[in-house]
Amino acid sequence: MALFGKMDTSGEKAGGTNEITDVEKVKVLIIGSGPAGYTAAIYAARANLSPVMYEGLQPGGQLTTTTEVENFPGYPSGITGPEMMEDLKKQAERFGTSVRFGMATKADFSKRPFKVTIDDKKLIEAEAVIIATGATAKYLGLEDEKKYAGGGVSACATCDGFFYRGKDVGVVGGGDTAAEEALYLAGLCNKVYLIVRRDELRASKVMQERVFNTPNIEILWKHQTKGLFGDGVVEGATLLKEKGTPNEEEVKIKIDGFFLAIGHTPNSDIFKKYLETDETGYIKTVAGSAKTNVPGVFACGDVQDHIYRQAVTAAGSGCMAAIDAERWLAENPLK
């Protein structure tokens, strides 16, 4: 699911004229919610920047699909993802953030004030912009992934691996991400099945060697996932070995957790005309800051982080973005 619209830089409707008449001027616009966006909002609001936030189609971001969060500081008994996001939202609103439902569909960062269109209906003109649109985990597209969401299906081993200590799990993928997830889980779980579609890994040689030398990782070469099964929670997976060949064979494995490690898609499409991104689409920021290549536009959270992708690091980068924005605005008042 795309959380923010594809790029449309025409600024015009099909009829050839710009029909948007609802225009609002704001000091700081925050695009996207989640730990990064809400934290940026808290800091920006406390700096009297009167931030306006548009949450996107998934208010609270990826954490709203997580049942239990146990690795975020300050919650000794753990907390559900939706509860945590609601707490952060209330905290942002307490200091004066205007939190709104809506999706950014167009962007123009060619000059100040920066222009962002919401739902193709409303134009926001902002003195500074903080992008916190996150990244969307890639899934196989199986109906069972939705059926068992929060019941054994995960796209983050670091987030959820702890819940599968001593159990058997499966990891789908063959690149560096899959190798890293499998190795992390191998330190917690009884057995890790690495489900690889091809007859080789795409991971770096160093990562491959680590996987090969880890005794409780079993690689299932030339296997593809057909579906999952279990009574309310994942209890196993049905795989197809050598799918589409005369040797095709159905294989069932017993697992308690099913981890997707086939990558993420950063939600950056509508900004690519103006902002530098890497080959995957992650927005590039100046090291040690949230600054992009466009002065006055800042990025935080998973939309610019392809390494850590944790709630706590997203929150930290949201803080950085708000502080960077506050200082930049003080030095560059809009005339």
Side-chain angles (χ1 to χ4, degrees):
M1 177 180 69
L3 301 184
F4 295 86
K6 294 290 186 180
M7 172 58 80
D8 178 354
T9 57
S10 66
E12 298 182 350
K13 301 289 185 179
T17 58
N18 192 333
E19 299 176 1
I20 296 178
T21 57
D22 186 0
V23 181
E24 180 181 0
K25 298 181 185 294
V26 305
K27 198 171 192 68
V28 174
L29 173 66
I30 300 173
I31 307 173
S33 45
Y38 287 136
T39 303
I42 291 166
Y43 274 78
R46 294 185 78 251
N48 293 323
L49 298 181
S50 304
V52 170
M53 168 189 282
Y54 280 92
E55 296 178 296
L57 289 181
Q58 191 178 43
Q62 293 186 74
L63 267 189
T64 57
T65 65
T66 302
T67 51
E68 291 292 330
V69 178
E70 294 190 337
N71 57 0
F72 198 95
Y75 295 96
S77 299
I79 188 172
T80 69
E83 284 180 306
M84 178 190 285
M85 292 305 95
E86 189 60 28
D87 285 348
L88 290 178
K89 178 180 178 180
K90 289 178 180 177
Q91 190 172 358
E93 290 178 322
R94 173 192 166 200
F95 294 113
T97 303
S98 177
V99 179
R100 308 170 183 178
F101 181 77
M103 181 175 72
T105 50
K106 300 174 187 174
D108 181 354
F109 295 156
S110 59
K111 61 180 180 180
R112 293 177 77 194
F114 305 115
K115 297 178 176 62
V116 176
T117 304
I118 305 299
D119 297 327
D120 291 320
K121 296 178 180 179
K122 183 182 180 73
L123 181 64
I124 301 292
E125 295 186 351
E127 295 183 34
V129 175
I130 295 175
I131 299 168
T133 48
T136 303
K138 295 179 181 178
Y139 288 85
L140 298 174
L142 302 175
E143 191 62 34
D144 286 341
E145 291 172 320
K146 299 177 182 177
K147 178 181 178 181
Y148 294 104
V153 173
S154 173
C156 180
T158 307
C159 309
D160 300 326
F162 184 80
F163 301 115
Y164 300 93
R165 288 171 300 166
K167 298 181 179 182
D168 295 347
V169 300
V171 176
V172 178
D176 278 332
T177 298
E180 290 170 3
E181 302 274 270
L183 288 165
Y184 177 81
L185 290 166
L188 296 169
C189 302
N190 176 59
K191 185 168 188 175
V192 178
Y193 293 100
L194 184 55
I195 303 166
V196 182
R197 182 168 54 89
R198 303 194 299 181
D199 59 357
E200 61 181 358
L201 294 176
R202 293 179 289 104
S204 63
K205 293 298 182 182
V206 171
M207 295 303 296
Q208 289 189 42
E209 287 301 316
R210 291 177 184 172
V211 169
F212 296 150
N213 292 325
T214 303
N216 62 334
I217 296 179
E218 179 180 344
I219 303 177
L220 301 178
W221 303 107
K222 298 183 180 180
H223 282 67
Q224 298 184 49
T225 306
K226 179 181 180 181
L228 303 170
F229 58 86
D231 185 11
V233 296
V234 171
E235 296 176 356
T238 303
L239 312 176
L240 291 178
K241 182 179 181 181
E242 298 190 46
K243 180 181 178 181
T245 73
N247 298 322
E248 181 176 313
E249 175 187 357
E250 187 172 286
V251 178
K252 291 184 182 292
I253 57 173
K254 290 185 177 181
I255 54 174
D256 297 292
F258 183 74
F259 290 83
L260 283 302
I262 53 178
H264 289 72
T265 301
N267 301 313
S268 61
D269 281 344
I270 70 169
F271 313 116
K272 286 182 178 178
K273 179 179 178 181
Y274 303 98
L275 303 185
E276 293 180 1
T277 64
D278 67 11
E279 63 277 4
T280 307
Y282 288 95
I283 296 174
K284 292 183 178 181
T285 52
V286 176
S289 79
K291 300 173 184 176
T292 69
N293 60 292
V294 176
V297 178
F298 307 88
C300 57
D302 288 9
V303 74
Q304 55 85 54
D305 174 17
H306 67 281
I307 299 175
Y308 301 104
R309 296 195 298 266
Q310 298 299 300
V312 69
T313 51
S317 69
C319 165
M320 293 168 61
I323 292 175
D324 284 346
E326 188 274 329
R327 292 174 178 172
W328 186 83
L329 284 167
E331 296 170 357
N332 299 274
L334 188 61
K335 298 178 181 179

